[in-house]
Each structure stands twice: as structure tokens, then as C-alpha cells.
Amino acid sequence: MKTKFFLLACFFCSVGLMAQNMNNVRIAGFTRDNSRKFIHVPNLMGYKTLKCDFHMHTVFSDGVVWPTVRVDEAWQEGLDVIAITDHIENNPSKKFVGGDDNSSFDIAKPHADKKGILLIKGAEITRKMAPGHFNALFITNTNELDTPNYMDAFEAAKKQGAFIIWNHPGWKAQQPDTCKWWDVHTELLEKGMLHAVEVFNEQEYYPIAFDWCDQKGIAYTAASDIHGLVQNQYDLNKQHRPMTLVLATENSESALKEALFARRTIAWFGQYLAGKEEFLREFFMASVKCNLMSENTKEKVYRVSNISDVPFLLKSADGVSIKIAAYSESMVEIPLTSNGTFEVTNLFIRSKKNLSAKFPF
Ligand SMILES: [Zn+2]
Ligand SMILES: [Zn+2]
């Protein structure tokens, strides 16, 4: 009897082995699935909040990745919009890769279309200070911006309908001891050739640039200026890359362009937001909800939910500190002696002005 069972088992085993391909066996689930993270930010004031990074490089200037990699990174991280902004005047890879100043966009565009990432055509005008470095977005032919005189490059960009951002104004390689607004920046502003500034770039921010945005009516932006892989620069398990949130009527190039020229932006970097007071207030109020849970003779206890990936750090003039954690619920105790007025210390309108808000929100 035992022998019969043994023979039967051998028979079924051999049938199983025969069914298996001996040449090539793929292990299901062994490689990373092609999933996309959600970035949690509220839509505001009837607009869609687009998550955008308008500054990055590829092998077509001094970056180290192929243009399609930038699209895959943006897809995985949950971004809606990117602009590849290779340096026009600085291309150390030129002797190894062919093409012209339009190549990185031309290579990435079909891949971006396939993945549903809005790829904006851009380039970095790369000059010594002053005026410094600028990203021109929505251009149509990058080669026309490659001119000996920098003002001719700005003229060409303007003629193509560009939205122009002053990049990393306080970068120490160009302004080692200061972050100065030069006369040429006033000239560019007056000629309609300067529309925004990076208040944050890669890993640093320039508080004085918040004041420029407020005083000169230019848009707040934040960008990665990534040259290597995003995952090597930022810990994506704990944070998002820096980005500009744009309040647009829809996710399309024309709506994005309209929103940028209307300056409907918020710069987001780490736990900080910088932007116009009305947009920061809307963002805060749309993110946070308070529920009173209990009350005694000393304090009120609230459960505060936050649907955004931005934490909120609050401090009152009478010394009460509150942390509302990102995308979670927090228990918050407010002493009855508190008048309920708080500064949101990680939300900047100007270098020395935070958003203020009255509790309960
Ligand atoms: Zn630069
Ligand atoms: Zn750059």
C-alpha cells in the first residue's frame, strides 16, 4: 500500500514539474510595484491644488539621470507637474550626449503623456550674479535663449510667453554674504520678465525672499533643483520633496499658466509653507477641524484632525504651544486662561510674519 502511495505522489510531482517552464520563471511580487503615493493637500477656494516641481536637471546639463527618470520619480512621489530645466549655457555632458537644448523635453514628453504627468517645457538661464540663474517655463524653443547677452535671452523667453522664476537668490556661490535684490531685478520686473522667486531651493531657504514676494507682487515658489536621484537627496519615507502648490482651475497647461501668472502659489518645503496670507489661511482652515471632547475648570480638551501632510506648529502670546501632527488626529489642551490667538510658526507670509489663527479653528 505504501509503495502505491509513493508511486502516485511521484506521478503528480512529475506532472507539476512538467507544467513548470524550465527556461524562465518570473517571481511574482519580487520587484517594486509601479504604485503612486498620494500627497495629501486640500483643494482651496474652488481651485485644484497642483503639486509641482519646476526645477530639475538631467544628463543634458549637469544632472546624472536620463529625462524619463524624472517622469518616473514624479509619478511615484505623487506630483502632478514637473519642468525639466537644464542649464542652457552649462552642459558638461555635451561631449558624451548629442541633441540640442530642447532634447531633454523632447525625450521625456511622450513618457510624461503616457503617465499623466504634466511636463512643462523649461530651461535654466545660467548667468553670473547679477542677474544670476532663472527658470523660464512654457518656452517653445530653448535654443533661442542661448545668447551672448543675458538680456537677449530674457527677451527671447518673454517673446515665447515664458513665466520666469529667479532661482536660489541667496546661493552662497553667487551671493556669499548677502541675499540682495539688484537694480537689474527691478528692471526685469518692470519689463515683465520676472514673475516669481524660489524662496526655497534644494535644502535652503531665503527668508528675505518672502518679503520680496509680498512687496513686489511676485509668486512664492519652492523647488528641488535635483541633479541626482530624488530618493538619494530626500528621505521619501518621511517627507516629500520641496514643491510649489499651484491653485489652478484644472490640471492642464493652460490652467497652470493662468494660475502662475495670477500668482496663486504656495511654496512647501519640509514642514514649512510660505505664501500670501489668504492662501495660507485657506490651506490651514481647509486642513484642520476641531472637536471639543471635554472641559474642566482649568482647560478644554479638543480632538484636532489634520487632513494635510503639513504639520502645524502653533504658539500663543501667553506661552501655549500646540503641535498638530500631519495627516492625523491630535489631542490638544487649551487652558481656559488662553485667549485662543495663535501664530502658526511654520507658515510664513513674510520673513517676520506668520499666519495667525483663532482657536478653535
Ligand atoms: Zn541654478
Ligand atoms: Zn538648477
Short mmCIF file of all heavy atoms in Angstrom, two decimals, residues 55 57 87 124 225 227, ligand 2:
data_model
loop_
_atom_site.label_atom_id
_atom_site.label_comp_id
_atom_site.label_asym_id
_atom_site.label_seq_id
_atom_site.Cartn_x
_atom_site.Cartn_y
_atom_site.Cartn_z
N HIS A 55 11.96 72.76 -11.13
CA HIS A 55 13.41 72.94 -11.27
C HIS A 55 14.13 71.61 -11.10
O HIS A 55 14.17 71.07 -9.98
CB HIS A 55 13.90 73.95 -10.21
CG HIS A 55 15.30 74.44 -10.45
ND1 HIS A 55 15.82 75.52 -9.75
CD2 HIS A 55 16.29 74.02 -11.26
CE1 HIS A 55 17.06 75.73 -10.14
NE2 HIS A 55 17.37 74.82 -11.06
N HIS A 57 17.34 68.81 -13.20
CA HIS A 57 18.34 68.64 -14.26
C HIS A 57 18.46 67.19 -14.70
O HIS A 57 18.07 66.28 -13.97
CB HIS A 57 19.69 69.18 -13.77
CG HIS A 57 19.65 70.65 -13.47
ND1 HIS A 57 19.88 71.59 -14.43
CD2 HIS A 57 19.33 71.32 -12.34
CE1 HIS A 57 19.72 72.81 -13.89
NE2 HIS A 57 19.39 72.66 -12.62
N HIS A 87 20.47 73.52 -17.68
CA HIS A 87 21.21 74.77 -17.93
C HIS A 87 21.38 74.96 -19.43
O HIS A 87 21.74 74.01 -20.14
CB HIS A 87 22.61 74.69 -17.30
CG HIS A 87 22.60 74.53 -15.82
ND1 HIS A 87 22.29 75.54 -14.95
CD2 HIS A 87 22.87 73.45 -15.04
CE1 HIS A 87 22.37 75.09 -13.71
NE2 HIS A 87 22.71 73.83 -13.73
N GLU A 124 17.04 76.58 -17.75
CA GLU A 124 17.65 77.49 -16.76
C GLU A 124 18.63 78.43 -17.45
O GLU A 124 19.65 78.01 -18.00
CB GLU A 124 18.36 76.70 -15.65
CG GLU A 124 18.90 77.61 -14.55
CD GLU A 124 19.29 76.88 -13.26
OE1 GLU A 124 19.32 75.65 -13.26
OE2 GLU A 124 19.56 77.58 -12.25
N ASP A 225 15.61 71.46 -7.47
CA ASP A 225 16.86 71.67 -8.23
C ASP A 225 17.67 70.37 -8.23
O ASP A 225 18.90 70.39 -8.09
CB ASP A 225 17.67 72.82 -7.61
CG ASP A 225 18.74 73.36 -8.55
OD1 ASP A 225 18.87 72.85 -9.67
OD2 ASP A 225 19.46 74.29 -8.14
N HIS A 227 19.72 67.13 -9.11
CA HIS A 227 20.68 66.74 -10.14
C HIS A 227 20.86 65.21 -10.17
O HIS A 227 21.02 64.62 -11.22
CB HIS A 227 22.04 67.41 -9.90
CG HIS A 227 22.04 68.87 -10.20
ND1 HIS A 227 21.33 69.80 -9.46
CD2 HIS A 227 22.65 69.58 -11.18
CE1 HIS A 227 21.52 71.01 -9.98
NE2 HIS A 227 22.32 70.90 -11.03
ZN ZN B 2 19.37 74.35 -11.45
#
